[in-house]
Amino acid sequence: MGSVEAANKDANGSLPGKNLTVVFVLGGPGSGKGTQCANIVEKFLFTHLSAGDLLRAEIKSGSENGTMIQNMIKEGKIVPSEVTIKLLQKAMQESGNDKFLIDGFPRNEENRAAFEKVTGIEPAFVLYFDCPEEEMERRLLSRNQGREDDNIETIRKRFKVFLESSLPVINYYDAKGKVRKIDAARPIEEVFETVKGIFGPKNEKVNHYVRLMLIEHAHLYSMVEI
């Protein structure tokens, strides 16, 4: 699946000496990527890391770093890429796993370049959940009706930000043949069937080869018996 070896870096929060598989998961709000990430975790034993969740957890912890993040958000400033990346690195180290879904990150080209520079890791691929704006809007409104932060104006602003910021990242990796685009407008089960084909094809090929070998061996054995 394109595992990549983390660069051997010194004690600055990097991940030395491990073969890591990192998959970036991108998609607009309401594209269903959270649901599919949960399915991937269960089926393929990845660790799911959400950059937004890690930032919120750090704020909630009351740490000095969390206070700094909270103040930046209150002042309308963007949290530096390095801060988010260090939280991701820490979570990766503590997980004990070597397969990661990084959800909602990188949000822009600056995030992407900083992640590769700081960690020495390129993603195996980008899982892009492509869903029409009208469908994402319908899902968000039906799921979160009544929530002040999910009114129609806020939702449309989030779509706009995603298109302006994240699409250049998707285009960058697409040019390198690393984007796996999924039609996310379909029912959950259908979408996951496509996802399974992306994460499991190598295993399927190996299993098919083993089955063919067993059949061939059984055939040869029966000829010897005769």
Side-chain angles (χ1 to χ4, degrees), residues 196-213:
K196 282 194 289 187
I198 291 168
F199 280 83
K202 274 192 178 178
N203 293 335
E204 287 304 310
K205 284 177 185 173
V206 169
N207 290 338
H208 180 63
Y209 177 74
V210 170
R211 283 195 295 271
L212 287 176
M213 290 294 291

Side-chain angles (χ1 to χ4, degrees), residues 61-92:
S61 74
S63 69
E64 188 178 334
N65 196 34
T67 303
M68 180 270 290
I69 293 167
Q70 188 173 35
N71 289 338
M72 291 194 77
I73 292 170
K74 278 182 181 175
E75 291 167 15
K77 295 177 181 175
I78 296 170
V79 177
S81 295
E82 286 74 12
V83 172
T84 307
I85 291 164
K86 285 196 181 299
L87 290 175
L88 286 166
Q89 285 180 301
K90 184 183 174 189
M92 289 164 82

Side-chain angles (χ1 to χ4, degrees), residues 2 4 24 109 112-113 116-117 120-126 167-180:
V4 286
F24 289 148
E109 267 290 283
R112 178 201 65 72
E116 292 188 10
K117 182 180 178 182
I121 297 170
E122 267 199 42
F125 57 87
V126 175
L167 280 184
V169 176
I170 292 163
N171 291 336
Y172 172 85
Y173 284 118
D174 194 31
K176 301 182 83 168
K178 287 194 167 192
V179 172
R180 308 292 181 265

Side-chain angles (χ1 to χ4, degrees), residues 102-145:
I102 297 184
D103 179 5
F105 185 92
R107 289 186 179 276
N108 53 44
E109 267 290 283
E110 195 271 330
N111 278 175
R112 178 201 65 72
F115 183 87
E116 292 188 10
K117 182 180 178 182
V118 172
T119 65
I121 297 170
E122 267 199 42
F125 57 87
V126 175
L127 198 60
Y128 171 38
F129 289 95
D130 185 32
C131 193
E133 187 171 324
E134 299 76 20
E135 175 61 18
M136 291 192 285
E137 190 176 292
R138 185 193 67 74
R139 289 176 182 178
L140 287 173
L141 288 173
S142 62
R143 185 172 63 197
N144 297 318
Q145 208 155 16

